[in-house]
């Protein structure tokens, strides 16, 4: 597609279960970002990929969170043993290179019950 | 530590009035500066960006922003606000050593 695609768009999961969120960036974009947006809050940086390398993982909230990226393509954000405080919209963005315009997906709304 | 501050959580202006949204940052190196808008039910859209050169940058939808290094600020302005400008506005900052971080956002309400 022409834009950043995220799936699923909505996910309801039980506390303690693992979830996997997917991001398909725009083809050719080398930089990929994951952010978390809690209800009524700003964007919280999670992780950044340049290619398939993540030079900065400091934004991941805990060791329950992990992310990987295959080449300069799809990325997955995995949350293990989900907690209610993980409920948020998870946004993915990609850009041609670092600090060129970032294009955002529509997000995955995660609800942990 | 790097930080981005948007001091105003919520601003209300009348349609046709001027607008200024504040953004302050704390970065060690020369920053890259962005403003994004998030309309209700929409994704984030880039309004404008500053990398270098003229410190007054023009963006889409009639917005502009001015980089003031001495004040570590990158405030967003619009001379005359339209009802369709009601949205959440996010300032974002990065540099060569760090990733793009966002402020907490400013919600703009436009009164008729």
């Amino acid at each position: 597609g022409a834009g950043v695609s995220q799936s699923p768009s909505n996910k309801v999961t039980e506390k303690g279960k693992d979830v996997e969120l997917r991001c398909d960036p725009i083809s050719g974009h080398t930089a990929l970002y994951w952010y978390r947006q809690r209800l009524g809050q700003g964007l919280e940086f999670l992780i950044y990929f340049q290619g398939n390398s993540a030079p900065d993982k400091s934004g991941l909230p805990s060791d329950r969170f992990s992310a990987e990226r295959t080449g300069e393509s799809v990325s997955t954000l995995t949350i293990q043993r989900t907690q209610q405080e993980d409920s948020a919209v998870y946004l993915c963005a990609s850009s041609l290179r670092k600090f060129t315009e970032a294009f955002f997906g529509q997000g995955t709304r995660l609800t942990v019950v | 530590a790097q930080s981005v501050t948007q001091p105003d959580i919520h601003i209300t202006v009348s349609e046709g009035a001027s607008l200024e949204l504040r953004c302050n940052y704390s970065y060690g190196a020369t920053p890259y500066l962005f403003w994004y808008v998030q309309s209700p039910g929409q994704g984030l859209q880039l309004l404008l960006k500053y990398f270098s050169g003229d410190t007054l940058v023009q963006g889409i939808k009639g917005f502009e922003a001015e980089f003031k290094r001495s004040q570590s600020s990158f405030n967003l302005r619009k001379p005359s606000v339209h009802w369709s400008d009601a949205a959440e506005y996010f300032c974002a900052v990065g540099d060569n050593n760090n990733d793009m971080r966002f402020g907490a956002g400013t919600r703009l309400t436009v009164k008729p």
Side-chain angles (χ1 to χ4, degrees):
Chain A
V4 177
S5 176
Q6 291 187 246
S7 60
S9 55
N10 280 283
K11 176 72 176 179
V12 180
T13 190
E14 291 181 352
K15 179 181 173 181
K17 295 287 179 68
D18 297 352
V19 295
E20 189 173 276
L21 312 181
R22 178 187 170 105
C23 172
D24 284 275
I26 294 173
S27 178
H29 281 197
T30 63
L32 186 146
Y33 307 82
W34 281 99
Y35 296 90
R36 178 169 69 179
Q37 187 175 30
R38 290 196 169 105
L39 187 64
Q41 304 294 311
L43 276 73
E44 177 187 359
F45 171 79
L46 297 178
I47 193 168
Y48 155 73
F49 287 93
Q50 181 60 43
N52 63 0
S53 171
D56 184 358
K57 299 182 180 179
S58 63
L60 295 175
S62 75
D63 58 8
R64 295 187 296 105
F65 287 72
S66 63
E68 62 180 26
R69 186 180 185 194
T70 306
E72 295 183 351
S73 183
V74 63
S75 175
T76 54
L77 176 69
T78 302
I79 309 173
Q80 296 178 309
R81 305 181 303 281
T82 53
Q83 304 294 313
Q84 287 186 328
E85 64 261 28
D86 299 334
S87 296
V89 175
Y90 290 82
L91 290 165
C92 174
S94 72
S95 62
L96 190 60
R97 297 179 302 278
K98 192 176 183 181
F99 299 135
T100 55
E101 179 180 356
F103 293 84
F104 281 81
Q106 292 297 310
T108 294
R109 182 176 299 279
L110 176 66
T111 304
V112 182
V113 297
Chain B
Q2 291 75 22
S3 66
V4 185
T5 303
Q6 292 181 247
D8 306 304
I9 296 173
H10 184 204
I11 285 181
T12 299
V13 299
S14 298
E15 190 168 16
S18 63
L19 171 71
E20 181 168 26
L21 303 181
R22 296 184 289 166
C23 175
N24 295 94
Y25 63 89
S26 173
Y27 269 69
T30 300
Y32 300 90
L33 301 156
F34 309 81
W35 274 99
Y36 282 82
V37 59
Q38 187 176 38
S39 299
Q42 304 292 314
L44 282 107
Q45 181 182 24
L46 180 70
L47 284 176
L48 47 78
K49 62 182 185 283
Y50 170 80
F51 285 179
S52 64
D54 192 345
T55 56
L56 183 64
V57 294
Q58 302 297 320
I60 61 171
K61 303 183 180 184
F63 285 92
E64 66 177 27
E66 186 171 12
F67 169 52
K68 292 185 177 180
R69 185 186 300 275
S70 61
Q71 299 177 16
S72 297
S73 69
F74 189 57
N75 294 349
L76 181 71
R77 301 194 294 249
K78 186 169 185 178
S80 177
V81 169
H82 187 263
W83 64 266
S84 62
D85 293 325
E88 188 90 19
Y89 291 81
F90 293 95
C91 177
V93 184
D95 65 22
N96 280 328
N97 300 316
N98 294 282
D99 310 299
M100 188 168 62
R101 307 291 174 114
F102 283 74
T106 298
R107 183 160 59 93
L108 174 65
T109 299
V110 180
K111 294 191 300 184

